[in-house]
C-alpha cells in the first residue's frame, strides 16, 4: 500500500466522535482466531509462574541430571536419554498443566462465559488455545534442543523426513491427549481443585513418566501402570526416534491415540463453560 | 413477531432449588428505547437478563430477543447483541486495551478501541493496567465498553453504573442516551430510582421475581395513588369547607398547628381550587408545595419496602 495513491482521508473531527449506530456482524474467522491466539500467547508468556513451569523446570532438570550423571544410560551420555524425556515433559506441562490451570481460572472469572456472548465460536476459542500451546511448545523445543546440544546431546534420527514425520505424529497425539485432559479438568472442577490436581498430576507423571529415569527402575506393578500413561508413552516414543534412530513402535502410538480420543471426547462431552 | 418489540418476555419462570428467582414475569422492550428493570437486591433482574442473553434457560415461559430464541438462535443473535455482565468476564491478567481489542476482533465493523477507551475515561495508564488491578469503577467502564464495541443493535447492561462516582455515572448516562439517539435498544438494570427516572423510556419495577408495575416514569409517578399538597396558614381553618370546594375523594388535615396537608389527584385545577378557597377566606398560604410522587414512592407503595440506595 502506498500512501500517495490513496485519496486523502477526511480531516478528523475536532472531538473524536463515536459512531454508535448499529453495524452488527461477526468478524471473519481468521481475524477472530488471530485475536484469540494473540491473547492466549500474551497472557501465557506474561504469567511468571507459567513461564517457570513451562520453561525453567524442563531446562533445569535437563541441566541438573546431565551434570550429575546419576542415570543409567546404557553406555551413552545421560543427555541423550534426557532430551526426549524433557521434551515430553514440556508437552505435558504446556498442554496439560498450564492449560488446565489457566482455563480453570478463566472459567471461574467468567471469561469463557463473557466470550461466549461475543460472536466467537467455541471451536475458535479452543483452536486459539491450541495454537498458542503449539507456539509455546515450539519455543520450548528450540530452547531445550539448544541446551541439549550445548550439553553434548547426540541425536540419532531415523532419517530427516521420517524423523520429523514421527516427531510430528507423537507431538500432535500428545498435545491432543494432554489438552483434552487439561480441559476436561478445567471444565468440570472448581478452579482451586484444578490448580491442585493439575500440579499433582504433573509431579506424578514427571516421576513415573520415564522423563528423568527409565521405567525399568520402577517396581514391576508400577511400571505396568506407568507404561500406559501418556507421559511414558510420549517420552518412550520420542526417545526411540531421537536417541535410537528408529520409529516409535506401535505401543506408544496406540497408547497416545487412545488417550487423545478418550480425553478429547470426554472434554467435549463434559466441559462446562460457566 | 413484531418488529417493534426488541425483547418480549412472557410468563417467565426460573427456579433455583427452593428459590423462585423469577416467578412469572412478562414485559416488552420497544425497539430503540431504553428500558430499565428496577428492583431491589435479589429481585430477579440478573436472572431475567441472563435468560435473555442465552446464558440460562427458563423453566417456563417464552423469551424472544430480536424475534429469536436466545439459546437456539444464539449464534445468530451474538453479533447483534451487546452484553455487560454484572461482574467478571475478563482475563484477570489482561490489560484494558487488550481485552477491548480482543472483543473488537470478534466483530465485523467494531468501534475504534482507542476512541472508545478515551470515551469511557480509560485511556493512558488505565489502558495498560491488568484488569484485576483496575478500580471497581474502571472495571465497570471497561465492561460497558466491551458491550458496545461491536456496534450492536441491542445491549443488555446489568447495573452499568454500580460503583461509579458521580462524574463517571453522568458520563455513563450520557453514553446510554447517545446509544438511544443512535438507534440502539438498551435494556439496563438498576436499583437507582433517579437513574431509571432520568434514562428510561420504560421502567419495569420488579420485586421477588414479579413485575409489580411498568410504564414510563411519568405514567408510573402519575397514576395510582394521590399526590400531596402542603401549605402553612393560621391554625383552625374549617377543612370541611375546603373539601367541599375540592373534587370528591380529596382529604385534608391539619398537623402540628397550621401545617396543612391536602391529598388528592393533584392537577392544575386542584391547585387552583385550593388557592381560590384560601383567597375566598382571606387566607394567605405560605410554604405551598406540591409533592409529586417519585419512583421511590411508587416502589415503596407497591412493595412495602425501601430500596437500597
Ligand atoms: N445460579 C444461582 N443459583 C442459585 N440461586 C440463584 C442463582 N442466581 C440467582 N439466584 C437467586 O435468585 C434470586 C434472584 O437473583 P438475581 O441475581 O437475579 O437478582 P438481582 O435482581 O440481579 O439482584 P442484584 O440487584 O443483587 O444484582 C436471588 O434470591 C438469588 O439468590
Ligand atoms: Mg443482579
Amino acid at each position: 500500500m502506498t500512501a500517495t495513491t490513496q485519496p486523502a482521508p477526511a480531516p478528523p473531527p475536532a472531538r473524536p466522535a463515536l459512531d454508535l449506530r448499529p453495524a452488527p456482524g461477526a468478524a471473519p474467522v481468521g481475524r477472530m482466531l488471530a485475536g484469540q491466539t494473540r491473547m492466549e500467547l500474551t497472557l501465557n508468556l506474561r504469567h511468571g509462574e507459567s513461564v517457570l513451569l513451562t520453561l525453567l523446570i524442563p531446562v533445569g532438570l535437563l541441566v541438573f541430571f546431565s551434570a550429575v550423571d546419576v542415570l543409567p544410560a546404557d553406555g551413552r551420555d545421560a543427555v541423550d536419554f534426557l532430551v526426549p524425556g524433557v521434551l515430553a515433559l514440556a508437552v505435558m506441562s504446556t498442554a496439560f498443566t498450564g492449560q488446565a490451570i489457566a482455563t480453570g481460572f478463566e472459567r471461574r472469572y467468567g471469561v469463557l462465559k463473557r466470550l461466549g456472548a461475543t460472536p466467537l465460536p467455541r471451536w475458535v476459542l479452543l483452536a486459539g488455545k491450541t495454537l498458542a500451546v503449539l507456539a509455546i511448545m515450539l519455543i520450548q523445543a528450540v530452547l531445550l534442543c539448544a541446551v541439549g546440544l550445548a550439553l553434548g546431546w547426540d541425536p540419532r534420527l531415523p532419517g530427516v523426513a521420517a524423523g520429523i514425520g514421527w516427531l510430528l505424529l507423537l507431538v500432535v497425539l500428545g498435545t491432543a491427549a494432554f489438552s483434552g485432559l487439561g480441559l476436561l479438568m478445567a471444565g468440570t472442577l472448581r478452579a482451586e481443585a484444578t490448580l491442585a490436581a493439575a500440579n499433582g498430576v504433573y509431579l506424578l507423571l514427571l516421576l513415573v513418566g520415564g522423563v528423568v529415569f527409565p521405567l525399568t527402575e520402577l517396581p514391576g506393578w508400577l511400571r505396568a501402570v506407568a507404561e500406559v500413561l501418556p507421559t511414558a508413552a510420549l517420552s518412550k516414543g520420542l526417545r526411540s526416534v531421537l536417541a535410537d534412530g528408529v520409529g516409535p513402535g506401535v505401543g506408544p502410538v496406540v497408547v497416545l491415540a487412545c488417550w487423545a480420543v478418550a480425553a478429547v471426547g470426554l472434554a467435549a462431552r463434559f466441559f462446562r463453560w460457566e | 413477531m413484531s418488529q417493534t418489540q426488541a425483547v418480549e418476555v412472557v410468563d417467565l419462570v426460573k427456579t433455583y432449588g427452593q428459590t423462585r428467582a423469577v416467578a412469572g414475569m412478562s414485559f416488552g422492550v420497544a425497539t430503540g428505547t431504553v428500558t430499565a428493570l428496577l428492583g431491589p437486591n435479589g429481585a430477579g433482574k440478573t436472572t431475567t437478563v441472563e435468560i435473555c442473553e442465552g446464558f440460562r434457560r427458563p423453566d417456563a415461559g417464552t423469551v424472544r430477543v430480536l424475534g429469536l430464541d436466545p439459546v437456539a438462535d444464539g449464534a445468530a443473535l451474538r453479533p447483534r447483541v451487546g452484553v455487560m455482565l454484572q461482574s467478571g468476564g475478563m482475563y484477570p491478567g489482561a490489560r484494558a486495551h487488550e481485552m477491548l481489542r480482543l472483543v473488537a476482533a470478534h466483530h465485523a465493523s467494531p468501534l475504534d478501541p482507542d476512541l472508545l477507551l478515551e470515551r469511557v475515561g480509560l485511556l493512558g495508564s488505565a489502558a495498560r493496567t491488568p484488569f484485576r488491578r483496575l478500580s471497581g469503577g474502571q472495571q465497570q467502564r471497561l465492561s460497558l465498553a466491551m458491550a458496545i464495541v461491536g456496534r450492536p443493535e441491542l445491549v443488555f447492561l446489568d447495573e452499568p453504573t454500580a460503583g461509579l462516582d458521580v462524574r463517571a455515572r453522568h458520563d455513563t448516562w450520557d453514553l446510554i442516551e447517545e446509544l438511544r439517539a443512535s438507534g440502539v435498544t438498551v435494556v439496563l438494570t438498576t436499583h437507582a430510582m433517579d437513574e431509571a427516572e432520568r434514562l428510561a423510556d420504560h421502567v419495569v419495577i420488579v420485586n421477588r421475581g414479579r413485575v409489580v408495575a411498568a410504564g414510563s416514569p411519568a405514567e408510573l409517578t402519575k397514576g395510582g395513588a394521590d399526590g400531596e399538597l402542603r401549605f402553612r396558614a393560621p391554625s383552625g381553618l374549617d377543612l370541611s369547607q375546603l373539601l367541599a370546594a375540592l373534587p370528591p375523594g380529596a382529604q385534608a388535615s391539619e398537623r402540628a398547628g397550621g401545617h396543612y396537608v391536602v391529598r388528592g389527584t393533584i392537577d392544575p385545577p386542584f391547585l387552583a381550587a385550593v388557592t381560590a378557597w384560601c383567597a375566598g377566606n382571606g387566607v394567605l398560604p405560605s410554604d405551598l408545595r406540591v409533592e409529586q410522587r417519585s419512583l421511590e414512592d411508587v416502589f415503596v407503595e407497591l412493595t412495602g419496602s425501601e430500596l437500597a440506595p
Side-chain angles (χ1 to χ4, degrees):
Chain A
M1 250 189 277
T2 52
T4 49
T5 59
Q6 287 182 343
R15 180 175 178 273
L18 287 173
D19 185 1
L20 298 174
R21 284 172 304 163
V29 165
R31 193 179 343 141
M32 292 199 237
L33 184 59
Q36 202 60 37
T37 308
R38 185 173 340 111
M39 185 64 138
E40 297 279 349
L41 262 180
T42 309
L43 292 175
N44 218 301
L45 296 175
R46 184 175 295 158
H47 283 145
E49 65 276 13
S50 73
V51 172
L52 183 82
L53 189 73
T54 54
L55 285 180
L56 295 189
I57 291 181
V59 171
L61 289 173
L62 179 58
V63 172
F64 180 78
F65 284 102
S66 307
V68 298
D69 215 1
V70 291
L71 302 167
D74 35 332
R76 300 188 54 195
D77 274 356
V79 70
D80 295 324
F81 177 88
L82 285 166
V83 171
V86 292
L87 285 174
L89 181 70
V91 172
M92 174 173 88
S93 66
T94 309
F96 172 72
T97 319
Q99 186 158 236
I101 294 170
T103 307
F105 280 97
E106 285 162 20
R107 187 164 148 255
R108 143 83 88 78
Y109 289 122
V111 180
L112 301 181
K113 173 180 175 177
R114 178 64 187 83
L115 294 181
T118 79
L120 180 77
R122 286 174 176 182
W123 72 264
V124 177
L125 176 80
L126 292 179
K129 284 185 175 295
T130 306
L131 283 182
V133 161
L134 290 174
I136 291 166
M137 288 185 340
L138 188 68
I139 299 171
Q140 288 174 297
V142 169
L143 188 77
L144 287 171
C145 290
V147 172
L149 290 172
L151 293 171
W153 175 42
D154 175 23
R156 292 182 197 160
L157 286 169
V160 174
I164 290 178
W166 284 122
L167 290 179
L168 278 182
L169 177 72
L170 289 168
V171 168
V172 165
L173 286 178
T175 305
F178 285 121
S179 292
L181 289 172
L183 293 175
L184 177 65
M185 203 176 253
T188 52
L189 304 179
R190 283 184 310 112
E192 291 78 8
T194 299
L195 178 70
N199 279 319
V201 171
Y202 173 81
L203 196 63
L204 186 76
L205 291 183
L206 167 62
L207 291 177
V208 302
V211 172
V212 290
F213 57 84
L215 294 184
T216 48
E217 299 293 303
L218 296 172
W221 63 271
L222 185 54
R223 181 178 170 186
V225 175
E227 293 272 10
V228 296
L229 293 178
T231 316
L234 183 58
S235 56
K236 185 174 173 192
L238 290 176
R239 200 163 283 133
S240 301
V241 178
L242 288 170
D244 305 334
V246 297
V250 180
V253 174
V254 169
V255 169
L256 282 177
C258 288
W259 277 101
V261 169
V264 171
L266 287 173
R269 173 75 183 76
F270 292 108
F271 193 92
R272 290 202 317 270
W273 296 80
E274 275 186 58
Chain B
M1 181 58 51
S2 78
Q3 283 303 311
T4 55
Q5 290 290 90
V7 179
E8 278 192 290
V9 172
V10 181
D11 298 332
L12 181 65
V13 175
K14 179 76 188 177
T15 311
Y16 299 105
Q18 300 294 318
T19 315
R20 283 219 127 181
V22 180
M25 239 197 249
S26 302
F27 63 90
V29 173
T31 300
T33 62
V34 175
T35 295
L37 293 182
L38 173 69
N41 290 136
K45 305 181 296 293
T46 297
T47 305
T48 305
V49 164
E50 293 207 347
I51 288 172
C52 295
E53 292 162 348
F55 288 128
R56 311 186 192 184
R57 285 162 195 272
D59 293 330
T62 53
V63 174
R64 306 297 281 177
V65 174
L66 302 173
L68 300 170
D69 181 295
V71 176
D73 305 316
L77 280 173
R78 282 190 279 273
R80 302 170 65 189
V81 177
V83 166
M84 175 178 179
L85 299 177
Q86 184 167 357
S87 66
M90 319 283 174
Y91 292 99
R95 295 168 183 159
H97 76 92
E98 292 168 345
M99 205 62 225
L100 194 57
R101 250 170 250 288
L102 177 69
V103 177
H106 296 164
H107 293 273
S109 29
L111 298 173
D112 180 78
D114 286 329
L115 286 185
L116 186 52
L117 281 174
E118 183 180 350
R119 178 62 201 263
V120 299
L122 288 178
L123 214 54
S125 65
R128 297 187 299 275
T129 304
F131 178 76
R132 65 171 179 276
R133 298 227 182 83
L134 290 176
S135 76
Q138 288 171 330
Q139 295 186 349
Q140 282 289 90
R141 283 180 274 157
L142 174 60
S143 187
L144 174 64
M146 281 167 53
I148 64 175
V149 70
R151 297 179 67 185
E153 56 192 273
L154 166 66
V155 287
F156 291 99
L157 309 176
D158 200 351
E159 300 198 16
T161 62
L164 295 188
D165 62 30
V166 178
R167 163 91 192 281
R169 197 156 175 247
H170 281 91
D171 288 347
T172 298
W173 288 353
D174 288 347
L175 190 55
I176 290 170
E177 279 170 349
E178 209 176 310
L179 284 169
R180 171 177 44 201
S182 305
V184 180
T185 308
V186 179
V187 179
L188 60 89
T189 72
T190 182
H191 333 115
M193 297 292 175
D194 56 337
E195 182 161 289
E197 247 170 323
R198 147 99 193 245
L199 283 181
D201 303 296
H202 188 68
V203 179
V204 179
I205 301 183
V206 294
N207 192 38
R208 293 165 202 260
R210 294 176 190 283
V211 175
V212 291
S216 70
E219 284 164 359
L220 285 172
T221 51
K222 185 183 69 192
D226 306 328
E228 280 184 354
L229 186 154
R230 296 162 185 264
F231 62 93
R232 291 173 64 176
S235 62
L237 293 181
D238 185 350
L239 293 176
S240 58
Q241 273 190 36
L242 170 60
L243 285 179
L246 294 178
Q251 297 170 349
S253 58
E254 181 180 354
R255 291 179 188 162
H259 292 256
Y260 294 90
V261 180
V262 186
R263 288 175 214 270
T265 306
I266 298 190
D267 49 10
F270 189 99
L271 178 61
V274 174
T275 53
W277 181 83
C278 288
N281 288 274
V283 171
L284 177 65
S286 62
D287 279 351
L288 181 75
R289 276 187 298 144
V290 176
E291 306 241 306
Q292 279 178 323
R293 300 198 317 158
S294 66
L295 272 180
E296 182 128 24
D297 300 326
V298 178
F299 187 83
V300 170
E301 236 163 67
L302 288 169
T303 66
S305 62
E306 304 263 343
L307 273 189

